[in-house]
Amino acid sequence: MPFAETYAAEDPILQTARSLAHELGLPCVSPGAGSVLRLLAAAGNAKAVVEIGTGTGVSGVWLLRGMRADGVLTTIDVEHEHQRIARRVFAEAGFAPSRTRIISGRSLDVLPRLADGAYDLIFVDADTTEFAACTEAALRLLRPGGVLIVNGVHAGGRINDPAARDVDTLTVRETVKAIRESEEWIPAVISSGAGLLTAVKRS
């Protein structure tokens, strides 16, 4: 296991949330990737964060632990049952209900209802089919200097394999390329976990 993963220790609350995700067959961010989320939320002094893909609350806890004490995490997921578990995890981690806004629904239905330029950080942990729409929405939702993080850009290790032509890999490649070539983002890929495409919205 890479040092970055063993360096990021998880407490019993995160371990429980992670094991619940495994039981449900849900992927979740690795400890190393979680520590990057916490770091970027803290570095940006994030008060308003959007998470696309609640899961059982693993990434949400990491984000909340980096955010300001008065920050609010808006987390979106189509699976109401997963969110019920995440709500319990957030409470056990010591976060007041006012610190989270948990919205059940398809991200592509919910994102248009969120306010322009109102968010400090957006974390996309959705199906690859939604990457393009989510990154487009992020450009509208983030304030100048806000941070976009997209999980899963290693495409299961296929991103650099020219023979990999499956839809998921092609979609990830298109997203990575579009952000790299855009004048509106300052991007980098962080190799923790499943690969994090990170980008700062230019002022």
Side-chain angles (χ1 to χ4, degrees):
M1 187 179 282
F3 176 61
E5 299 299 337
T6 56
Y7 180 76
E10 291 192 318
D11 63 5
I13 289 159
L14 278 167
Q15 289 167 10
T16 299
R18 186 174 295 286
S19 66
L20 288 166
H22 288 322
E23 281 173 31
L24 291 166
L26 287 177
C28 51
V29 295
S30 71
S35 69
V36 172
L37 297 182
R38 182 181 61 184
L39 174 80
L40 292 173
N45 198 26
K47 184 177 181 182
V49 173
V50 175
E51 174 187 50
I52 301 163
T54 310
T56 57
V58 175
S59 49
V61 168
W62 278 110
L63 285 164
L64 283 160
R65 287 178 173 170
M67 291 165 65
R68 285 168 41 164
D70 60 345
V72 176
L73 174 70
T74 298
T75 183
I76 305 161
D77 203 298
V78 75
E79 293 290 346
H80 183 71
E81 184 58 25
H82 299 167
Q83 290 185 318
R84 194 179 61 75
I85 295 167
R87 193 186 300 274
R88 202 173 73 228
V89 167
F90 296 150
E92 285 172 10
F95 298 108
S98 59
R99 293 290 312 278
T100 56
R101 182 167 61 144
I102 299 173
I103 302 174
S104 293
R106 288 178 66 249
S107 58
L108 304 188
D109 295 332
V110 176
L111 292 172
R113 306 203 300 263
L114 301 183
D116 292 9
Y119 297 93
D120 304 306
L121 187 152
I122 293 177
F123 176 53
V124 180
D125 195 10
D127 289 341
T128 51
T129 53
E130 298 182 358
F131 275 11
C134 288
T135 53
E136 226 171 89
L139 198 55
R140 176 181 65 81
L141 297 171
L142 284 168
R143 61 166 173 78
V147 177
L148 167 68
I149 310 168
V150 181
N151 189 41
V153 297
H154 286 164
R158 298 183 304 276
I159 194 72
N160 276 333
D161 178 2
R165 309 292 297 167
D166 58 283
V167 173
D168 281 356
T169 306
L170 292 174
T171 305
V172 172
R173 281 195 193 120
E174 283 165 19
T175 303
V176 172
K177 184 170 182 274
I179 288 183
R180 185 180 61 204
E181 294 177 355
S182 169
E183 294 294 311
E184 294 167 301
W185 296 108
I186 300 169
V189 170
I190 297 171
S191 285
S192 295
L196 300 171
L197 171 64
T198 56
V200 174
K201 181 179 172 180
R202 288 186 185 273
S203 301

